[in-house]
DNA sequence: GAAGATTGAAGGGTCAATCTTG
DNA sequence: CAAGATTGACCCTTCAATCTTC
């Protein structure tokens, strides 16, 4: 399980960045450390956090929080721009209480409407208002442009290869991978 | 800027997973969409969130929260197992207020000690106690094993290539990349 | 009784103001 | 006055309890 290269953490060309130094430190404490696994774990976290911070910063200048982006875009791609609170909960990986709060705030902005589902009166149907749709489209554009700026300086071939590799990696994870802690964020305690 | 393949979002072999469908939907709304950039952005977020959830779940069974892991390991690799509150703030990317709170909780667990820096009495020197060091080592082991289990089912060659590609990507980001919102989490408002 | 949504208490974070020391 | 840490107000999330509807 702990195959490790005998050299420093870097496995090939662009050797020894800050992460390699970190990994080398840990390997110095435990020579059995798998430097590749530790490296990719750290780098995935850091890269994603950079991206998320960049998005939060840019979208903040458009007057939107990340939670609102998540909700509005989920509704934007729902059929008829409407979805149930439960569906939104499962898509966004937050608890039902959080969804209720978010919907309240979105509603007070006038971006969504809440109606009782006539089919099943336990469910709440959330629908984008006209204003909400405009907002969602503005946000989608801003978010997409921000992502393109974020990766703009990176070699195109590398981005494409990483996209493909990430697809493969995710496929190796889900099925036989580490038993995911079930579905959703513990979708409400049962009674 | 918006180079896009005319086919579906998937660029090569393992075509059309859930993310490709999402990206295809957005491209249907806007044919100019750069499917590779959108794809890698989504996949990076999802993969990292899976990893973080897995870690949170596993480490939770050891009775530790992620914020504690972050703090204890930062101290574990500091010279003399001690660091200043400000340094910890910059390493962990949370605000100074959060650090103060965290240190209070760690202190009440008996895992760290707070002393005034004799050199500069404005600074607080945080040091791992003996119990804290034991905890940190337990955590490091558990975290490393969890990461190895997470990536255990993934082809080794792919993981190595992704590690190298991520190193290159991060290097392309930091310097000329998108102007990072400065350093740290706004390291304390200037008086 | 179970499913879906809401509620309120509690945890942890940010932000701005404050205190202390250089 | 600047830098470092602390404090308190506020925001959002989780968690468990509750209410309604199937």
């Amino acid at each position: 399980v702990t195959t490790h290269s005998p050299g420093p953490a870097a496995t090939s060309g662009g050797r020894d960045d800050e992460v390699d130094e970190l990994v080398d430190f840990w390997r110095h404490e435990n020579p059995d450390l798998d430097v590749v696994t530790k490296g990719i774990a750290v780098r995935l976290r850091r890269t994603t956090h950079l991206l998320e911070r960049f998005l939060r910063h840019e979208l903040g200048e458009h007057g939107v929080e990340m939670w609102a982006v998540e909700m509005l875009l989920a509704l934007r791609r729902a059929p008829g721009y409407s979805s149930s609170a439960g569906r939104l909960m499962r898509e966004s990986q937050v608890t039902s209480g959080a969804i209720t709060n978010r919907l309240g705030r979105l509603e007070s902005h006038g971006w969504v409407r809440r109606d009782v589902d006539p089919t099943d009166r336990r469910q709440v149907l959330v629908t984008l208002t006209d204003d909400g749709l405009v907002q969602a489209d503005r946000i989608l554009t801003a978010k997409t442009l921000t992502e393109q700026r974020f990766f703009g300086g990176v070699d195109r071939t590398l981005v494409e290869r990483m996209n493909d590799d990430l697809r493969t990696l995710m496929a190796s994870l889900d099925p036989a991978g580490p038993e995911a802690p079930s579905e959703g964020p513990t979708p409400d305690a049962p009674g």
Side-chain angles (χ1 to χ4, degrees), chain A:
Chain A
V1 167
T2 53
T3 310
H4 65 282
S5 34
T11 41
S12 79
R15 301 251 333 304
D16 255 69
D17 63 354
E18 197 187 325
V19 176
D20 286 324
E21 287 172 22
L22 171 66
V23 173
D24 276 336
F25 176 85
W26 287 131
R27 197 194 43 164
H28 178 264
E29 301 287 317
N30 172 17
D32 278 345
L33 182 73
D34 176 354
V35 295
V36 176
T37 299
K38 182 60 85 178
I40 198 176
V42 174
R43 281 185 233 273
L44 272 178
R45 264 193 301 271
R46 291 204 182 182
T47 305
T48 300
H49 285 162
L50 280 176
L51 172 57
E52 296 228 300
R53 184 195 305 196
F54 190 55
L55 279 170
R56 178 161 42 244
H57 180 260
E58 296 289 301
L59 291 170
E61 305 205 325
H62 289 250
V64 212
E65 312 278 327
M66 289 303 280
W67 63 262
V69 173
E70 193 174 26
M71 299 292 285
L72 292 175
L73 292 191
L75 287 166
R76 173 65 178 77
R77 61 175 176 266
Y81 305 137
S82 91
S83 179
S84 79
R87 252 189 98 66
L88 291 170
M89 172 185 81
R90 287 182 290 273
E91 284 191 39
S92 53
Q93 304 280 12
V94 295
T95 56
S96 53
I99 293 293
T100 298
N101 292 333
R102 289 177 173 195
L103 291 180
R105 281 170 266 154
L106 291 176
E107 206 174 21
S108 75
H109 278 284
W111 292 340
V112 307
R113 194 164 21 91
R114 269 192 278 200
D115 303 294
V116 176
D117 184 339
T119 302
D120 178 349
R121 301 230 298 277
R122 293 172 302 179
Q123 298 196 56
V124 168
L125 239 71
V126 186
T127 308
L128 231 42
T129 63
D130 291 349
D131 274 14
L133 180 55
V134 171
Q135 269 293 322
D137 281 329
R138 281 189 55 234
I139 289 173
L140 176 57
T141 302
K143 180 158 177 272
T144 301
L145 288 176
T146 301
E147 286 164 351
Q148 288 178 8
R149 282 212 291 143
F150 186 82
F151 293 108
V154 184
D155 176 61
R156 182 75 187 181
T157 308
L158 188 144
V159 175
E160 288 176 359
R161 183 172 61 225
M162 275 203 49
N163 187 31
D164 287 339
D165 282 347
L166 277 168
R167 182 189 298 107
T168 307
L169 188 150
M170 292 175 77
S172 311
L173 253 37
D174 232 15
E179 60 274 30
S182 86
E183 192 59 39
T186 316
D188 245 9

